[in-house]
Amino acid sequence: MKAPLDRVPAPALFLTAGVSQYLGAALAVGLYATIPAPSVAWARGAVGALVLLVLVRPWRWSWTRRTFAQTAVFGLVLLGMNILFYIAIDHLPLGAAVALEFAGPVVVAAAGGRGTRHRLAVVLAAAGVLAISLVGLDWNGQQPTAELALGLAAALGAGVLWAGYMVIGGRIVTQRSGVASLAVGLTVASLLYGPFLAGGTLTAMTWPIALLLLGVGLLSTVIPYSLDQVTLKRLGTATFALLNALLPVSAAVIGVLLLRQVPTWGEVAGTLAVSAAVWISAPKKRPEPN
């Protein structure tokens, strides 16, 4: 008997995950006036960890010191990526931050090949980053230069950690349950980052804020990462790459609709260049079934 999600087309699940993640990010931006961005990111991870622990019950799997240590590093990289990304969207438009973050995975994907396609992907990604950072962002506007520079550095740093997340996560899903590893990794990361970031959340805690943080955790962590585990097994690589290429554009649209962040022409050009690089850099052959 098919599970309910098996009846839903994989591309629909993928796009649902992407939209959910960026809706959660837009919701998180609304909390920045009350809670610092890094603390919101920590709360997102902690909420996701708690929900996944209840749903997945990862203690049913056997864990060795090696697998637990690898999973802990996976969680630290993932939550670190989210913390940097939330710092980025505190200072940059959502669409620009997402496009800049995507440059990291493009470089990782292109590093595996030496053909013209891979070189073109790196050139497009670099052009997109330059278009957003040098032309798209208003360095002479009302926002201080230091804030824009911090947002730019945080977005690129998140891209570097995303690349690491892809490498470590790719090894994990071939060996054991990806969702169980996600639950354990986020739990460890939440505990280790907690002493530094939990205070900003707890001091501002009220019931309305708690509900908003629950929404951020569900929309940005539990729903998208759980759906990704399903779609990765069902989508061909080319289709997955094409859908991934739509995510920076989707984030920009959500930024316009929910945050009233109208992109400049430099942001538009840079986002399209990065999206093209994402699609070009992915392998075009369908993976062999396991």
Side-chain angles (χ1 to χ4, degrees), residues 88-283:
I89 62 176
D90 189 23
H91 301 293
L92 301 178
L94 178 61
V98 170
L100 291 169
E101 187 187 27
F102 261 86
V106 167
V107 173
V108 168
R114 300 179 181 177
T116 303
R117 177 165 59 87
H118 298 95
R119 289 193 289 269
L120 177 59
V122 172
V123 169
L124 282 172
V129 169
L130 290 174
I132 292 171
S133 5
L134 299 181
V135 181
L137 301 181
D138 187 5
W139 293 96
N140 297 316
Q142 296 181 346
Q143 191 172 3
T145 299
E147 288 191 9
L148 286 176
L150 175 60
L152 182 63
L156 293 174
V160 171
L161 289 184
W162 191 0
Y165 161 79
M166 289 173 62
V167 173
I168 301 171
R171 294 172 181 170
I172 285 177
V173 296
T174 61
Q175 300 168 1
R176 56 191 180 275
S177 168
V179 179
S181 297
L182 178 64
V184 172
L186 277 178
T187 300
V188 173
S190 298
L191 291 173
L192 293 179
Y193 284 120
F196 307 100
L197 300 176
T201 303
L202 298 178
T203 55
M205 189 61 67
T206 61
W207 279 111
I209 287 178
L211 290 175
L212 287 173
L213 289 173
L214 177 62
V216 171
L218 292 174
L219 287 170
S220 292
T221 298
V222 177
I223 293 174
Y225 291 144
S226 298
L227 290 179
D228 280 349
Q229 300 300 317
V230 178
T231 55
L232 278 170
K233 294 180 180 179
R234 293 172 54 189
L235 282 175
T237 312
T239 304
F240 189 78
L242 177 59
L243 293 173
N244 253 309
L246 296 176
L247 291 182
V249 178
S250 301
V253 171
I254 289 173
V256 172
L257 295 178
L258 297 186
L259 301 175
R260 300 294 187 265
Q261 296 173 340
V262 180
T264 63
W265 72 265
E267 290 176 53
V268 172
T271 299
L272 292 177
V274 171
S275 293
V278 172
W279 179 67
I280 291 171
S281 65

Side-chain angles (χ1 to χ4, degrees), residues 38-53 71-72 74-80 82-83 182-199 221:
S39 295
V40 175
W42 173 84
R44 162 190 167 176
V47 168
L50 286 173
V51 173
L52 287 170
L53 284 175
T71 301
F74 171 69
L76 287 169
V77 170
L78 172 59
L79 190 50
N82 292 336
I83 291 168
L182 178 64
V184 172
L186 277 178
T187 300
V188 173
S190 298
L191 291 173
L192 293 179
Y193 284 120
F196 307 100
L197 300 176
T221 298

